[in-house]
Amino acid sequence: GDPSSRGICRVLETSFRRVWLRLFTAGADENYVVELKDFVQGTVAAYDAGYALPSLILELGLHELETGDANVDKTVRLTDQERQTREVWLVLVYLTLHRVNYTPPGALP
């Protein structure tokens, strides 16, 4: 994947939107779980790249409408509730990584 802030934000932005859309249209089915895993993997990639949570949230705000799909970017803006939900999910993944003493690949012990 692309470790740049734009690449990480794009993964998080598109995966969050897919999770949210899946939840809204079909509920918490098996496809929802697949989409949620993509969001978690994107969050772990941000953690691995050394992004502090406040910095990641700021970057997401800056790149919010850069999903790579021009139609989505111009028509679908996250609501405050959706932004807050995304932030809670990010916090939960970061807290879980911290709690289990996760070490990013290649990090010094």
Side-chain angles (χ1 to χ4, degrees):
D2 179 0
S4 71
S5 64
R6 177 169 278 158
I8 287 172
C9 288
R10 182 170 285 181
V11 167
L12 289 172
E13 188 71 18
T14 55
S15 63
F16 178 78
R17 288 170 188 262
R18 287 193 315 260
V19 170
W20 203 247
L21 181 62
R22 174 59 61 180
L23 187 58
F24 182 73
T25 59
D29 65 0
E30 146 183 336
N31 291 319
Y32 165 80
V33 173
V34 170
E35 301 293 357
L36 188 57
K37 284 181 182 178
D38 287 345
F39 180 82
V40 171
Q41 288 173 338
T43 306
V44 172
Y47 188 91
D48 287 349
Y51 283 93
L53 195 52
S55 298
L56 180 59
I57 292 167
L58 179 64
E59 288 289 334
L60 281 167
L62 293 173
H63 298 293
E64 184 172 283
L65 295 178
E66 296 179 13
T67 63
D69 182 330
N71 289 324
V72 169
D73 292 351
K74 71 180 181 182
T75 59
V76 181
R77 186 174 287 279
L78 296 179
T79 65
D80 288 342
Q81 179 186 8
E82 291 165 342
R83 277 188 211 89
Q84 289 169 357
T85 299
R86 180 181 64 192
E87 189 172 322
V88 167
W89 291 0
L90 291 167
V91 168
L92 288 173
V93 174
Y94 266 61
L95 285 174
T96 301
L97 293 170
H98 179 73
R99 179 77 174 152
V100 299
N101 295 316
Y102 172 81
T103 303
L108 297 174

